[in-house]
Amino acid sequence: MLKQELNLKLQQKLSPQQIQLMKLVQLPTVAFEQRVKEELEENPALDEASSSFEEEYENGSESEWENGNEEFQENNVIDTSDINIDEYLSDDDIPNYKTYTNNYSDDDEEKSVPFAQGDSFIDILVNQLYTNRLTEEEYQLAEFLIGNIDEDGYIRRDLKSLVDDLAFSQNIITDEKTLENLLVNYIQKMDPVGVGARDLQECLMIQLEAKSPTESVELAEKLISESFDAFTKKHYSKLIAKYDVDEDELRDAISEIERLNPKPGKSFSSSSKIVEQITPDFTITIEDTELNLSLNGRNVPELRISNAYAEMLDTYKKTENKSAEQKEAVLFVKQKLDSAKWFIDAVQQRRNTLMVTMEAIMKFQQEYFLTGDETKIKPMILKDISDLIGMDISTVSRVANSKYVQTPYGTFLIKDLFSESLTNDDGEEVSTREIKRILQDVILDENKRSPLTDEKLTEILKEKGYPIARRTIAKYREQLNIPVARLRKEI
């Protein structure tokens, strides 16, 4: 049965301007510069001209506009009663300090980063392929195999799948034996040695077989071909007993293996990649023991409302008999002007938000920025900065997660400064960064023949005054990319 009800509900929604601001705040400097350029291209009412508006557009007749507005409504074409021309024609509403986002001089030197240019890894392999005598079909098959080699130099897919792909995509009927012959006898003979392997074990064997035969190389081949699992798990005592060798002989064989390249493709693929330069969003300098903060806005132009669009509205004001097309045009102009004003305001709010947030972080970590000593980094979480500046935690997160800061001690992500705190035996709060550094130093100084287990590391840190659970030690060790004790063992 249908019935009517009256419900009272309170909702909180973000306005389009707020959404636009959040997106701009999250963008790093390079992406923000691109976003401004896109907006300048898309919105003709937005301009980067440096000249101020002409005085004739500052003192428009308000009564004339109101009369035109009444006529606009009487014709019932489009209701534009909320249009106020003068707010778009006055420089007072959008002063220079509010729209100016470039804090660098025009005389500043612009530095460009050269880009690398060269053949790709696949091109290098294909060029080597054509030094062999093959039939036209074999060339096609070999090129297809090379095309399936990843940047590490491996063919990760099985040959049966490649046979099916050739049948469906190239209309070439072949078999696994033919592909195996091309792979083993031609592709795996190319440089870099080890390319075309299907797994790490095969990659290492290809490289060992290419070495001059010695006792150490022969033992290394046996370790990889016959006892790969035991070798990767570092069961050295079992390997010594199995091959009847002493520790020195096993150490020499392991040394041969350690000199091999587990990712042969990287030696070529990395050379053809474009090196990206990190552009810091903030710069912190020290002058007379005082910290100075600046925001990178070198390539962001000064933004203002387009004079041409202001002229359009002024012309409309002076037109007595306004057509329906003119009225539709002025609505379009108003929408573009609104969008331009919103964007200019969002750009300035972004700048203010970034500066306020980074200033709070800089003051919070003042000791570190003055000395560069990582032990001076205080425990700091997003809520600490959020409370200081009176903004939401999500806003602080958007600033910290994708922005870089340049300091006298290097350039790094702002989020790296954030860390939780732990209380030591003296009741002092210490940063987890400090504990990780101590953990790293302890592991670095350990006896590699008998590496410290997580339980032993827990005891050592407890003796140093840091009572931490074993699972926390394991978590920190994984974050530092340090393997478990068994895999750190050496002979």
Side-chain angles (χ1 to χ4, degrees):
M1 180 178 179
L2 296 177
K3 62 178 181 178
Q4 287 185 332
E5 290 184 353
L6 184 63
N7 291 324
L8 184 63
K9 183 165 59 174
L10 183 64
Q11 287 186 327
Q12 187 176 19
K13 294 184 179 180
L14 292 175
S15 66
Q17 296 94 317
Q18 289 174 311
I19 295 173
Q20 185 180 55
L21 175 60
M22 287 190 298
K23 289 181 178 179
L24 291 181
V25 167
Q26 193 164 359
L27 294 177
T29 296
V30 176
F32 174 64
E33 292 170 1
Q34 185 61 36
R35 177 69 183 89
V36 171
K37 290 178 183 178
E38 290 175 358
E39 189 69 20
L40 283 167
E41 292 173 359
E42 294 173 2
N43 190 349
L46 194 63
D47 200 357
E48 57 176 301
S50 57
S51 60
S52 59
F53 293 134
E54 299 179 13
E55 291 183 3
E56 60 181 292
Y57 301 121
E58 296 180 3
N59 302 311
S61 172
E62 186 176 349
S63 59
E64 186 179 349
W65 167 244
E66 290 175 352
N67 293 335
N69 205 18
E70 291 173 4
E71 179 188 348
F72 209 21
Q73 296 182 44
E74 288 172 2
N75 290 336
N76 292 322
V77 180
I78 303 171
D79 182 6
T80 57
S81 58
D82 59 338
I83 298 179
N84 183 354
I85 291 250
D86 293 331
E87 70 175 280
Y88 298 110
L89 305 182
S90 174
D91 265 344
D92 295 336
D93 287 341
I94 312 173
N96 283 343
Y97 81 88
K98 188 173 182 181
T99 61
Y100 195 72
T101 58
N102 189 345
N103 59 354
Y104 287 88
S105 167
D106 293 336
D107 297 330
D108 282 353
E109 180 184 358
E110 286 285 348
K111 296 181 180 179
S112 58
V113 181
F115 294 100
Q117 181 67 34
D119 293 334
S120 68
F121 177 46
I122 298 299
D123 291 337
I124 293 171
L125 295 179
V126 170
N127 290 338
Q128 293 182 62
L129 174 65
Y130 282 95
T131 62
N132 299 290
R133 291 185 179 181
L134 299 172
T135 65
E136 184 177 347
E137 182 178 347
E138 286 175 332
Y139 277 127
Q140 284 183 292
L141 295 175
E143 280 190 21
F144 185 80
L145 287 172
I146 291 174
N148 280 273
I149 294 177
D150 62 20
E151 61 180 11
D152 292 334
Y154 289 85
I155 290 182
R156 308 284 185 181
R157 304 182 61 202
D158 61 86
L159 296 181
K160 186 176 184 303
S161 298
L162 296 178
V163 169
D164 293 338
D165 280 356
L166 281 164
F168 284 108
S169 63
Q170 307 284 341
N171 197 26
I172 297 176
I173 306 302
T174 186
D175 53 41
E176 294 179 49
K177 184 177 179 181
T178 302
L179 293 184
E180 178 87 21
N181 175 62
L182 290 170
L183 179 63
V184 173
N185 295 319
Y186 294 95
I187 296 175
Q188 291 184 355
K189 303 295 183 183
M190 295 178 179
D191 287 330
V193 181
V195 71
R198 284 157 285 188
D199 53 41
L200 177 60
Q201 185 177 9
E202 185 177 25
C203 178
L204 297 178
M205 278 301 300
I206 293 171
Q207 295 180 63
L208 287 170
E209 290 169 356
K211 283 178 169 285
S212 300
T214 63
E215 290 184 3
S216 298
V217 171
E218 290 176 1
L219 178 57
E221 289 180 4
K222 292 179 181 178
L223 294 177
I224 298 301
S225 61
E226 301 171 4
S227 307
F228 187 69
D229 187 59
F231 169 74
T232 56
K233 293 179 179 178
K234 298 194 175 184
H235 292 161
Y236 295 141
S237 57
K238 293 181 180 179
L239 295 175
I240 289 173
K242 179 176 181 179
Y243 294 104
D244 192 22
V245 294
D246 56 32
E247 286 190 358
D248 289 338
E249 290 174 320
L250 181 60
R251 187 183 297 110
D252 291 341
I254 292 173
S255 179
E256 292 286 350
I257 297 172
E258 288 176 343
R259 286 198 289 267
L260 304 178
N261 187 356
K263 296 180 179 180
K266 291 293 186 184
S267 57
F268 277 79
S269 59
S270 60
S271 64
S272 62
K273 287 185 177 179
I274 294 176
V275 178
E276 295 184 4
Q277 182 188 37
I278 293 176
T279 302
D281 302 89
F282 302 94
T283 300
I284 294 178
T285 56
I286 303 175
E287 294 181 10
D288 299 329
T289 68
E290 293 291 331
L291 295 173
N292 292 324
L293 175 68
S294 61
L295 176 65
N296 185 359
R298 179 187 297 264
N299 297 319
V300 179
E302 178 184 356
L303 301 176
R304 63 171 67 251
I305 302 298
S306 169
N307 285 347
Y309 264 55
E311 291 173 2
M312 291 182 193
L313 289 180
D314 188 60
T315 302
Y316 180 81
K317 285 172 53 179
K318 296 176 181 178
T319 303
E320 295 182 359
N321 298 319
K322 303 175 179 63
S323 65
E325 289 78 8
Q326 287 177 312
K327 295 166 186 175
E328 290 178 1
V330 80
L331 180 62
F332 171 80
V333 170
K334 178 186 180 297
Q335 291 171 342
K336 291 300 180 182
L337 287 169
D338 279 338
S339 177
K341 288 189 68 177
W342 289 344
F343 189 78
I344 290 172
D345 192 53
V347 167
Q348 181 59 30
Q349 288 187 57
R350 174 189 183 271
R351 186 179 191 282
N352 293 340
T353 301
L354 263 57
M355 286 297 290
V356 168
T357 304
M358 192 60 212
E359 280 179 359
I361 294 173
M362 183 179 69
K363 290 178 181 177
F364 198 99
Q365 302 290 359
Q366 186 173 7
E367 285 189 71
Y368 167 69
F369 287 119
L370 285 173
T371 63
D373 185 357
E374 288 194 358
T375 61
K376 301 293 185 182
I377 296 179
K378 297 179 182 178
M380 180 177 68
I381 59 176
L382 296 175
K383 190 176 184 303
D384 293 332
I385 304 302
S386 174
D387 292 340
L388 284 175
I389 63 178
M391 294 184 182
D392 193 80
I393 292 178
S394 62
T395 303
V396 179
S397 176
R398 286 184 174 90
V399 174
N401 282 342
S402 57
K403 308 292 187 303
Y404 284 86
V405 58
Q406 179 179 329
T407 72
Y409 321 107
T411 301
F412 47 82
L413 269 173
I414 297 172
K415 71 174 183 179
D416 292 343
L417 292 171
F418 288 84
S419 61
E420 296 178 351
S421 64
L422 288 173
T423 305
N424 61 18
D425 287 345
D426 297 329
E428 300 174 344
E429 286 194 347
V430 293
S431 169
T432 54
R433 285 174 60 100
E434 181 179 345
I435 296 172
K436 288 179 183 178
R437 183 183 58 79
I438 294 171
L439 176 63
Q440 201 167 18
D441 291 342
V442 170
I443 293 176
L444 188 64
D445 296 336
E446 70 183 357
N447 179 6
K448 298 304 179 183
R449 296 178 65 91
S450 180
L452 300 171
T453 63
D454 290 346
E455 289 80 0
K456 186 63 178 176
L457 290 171
T458 304
E459 294 175 7
I460 293 175
L461 262 69
K462 188 175 182 180
E463 292 172 1
K464 291 179 177 290
Y466 303 100
I468 306 173
R470 188 200 60 80
R471 61 180 179 275
T472 306
I473 292 290
K475 181 179 75 171
Y476 291 167
R477 178 177 50 72
E478 290 172 0
Q479 290 174 353
L480 293 168
N481 293 320
I482 298 175
V484 295
R486 175 173 52 80
L487 298 181
R488 300 199 306 271
K489 185 178 181 180
E490 297 177 5
I491 61 171

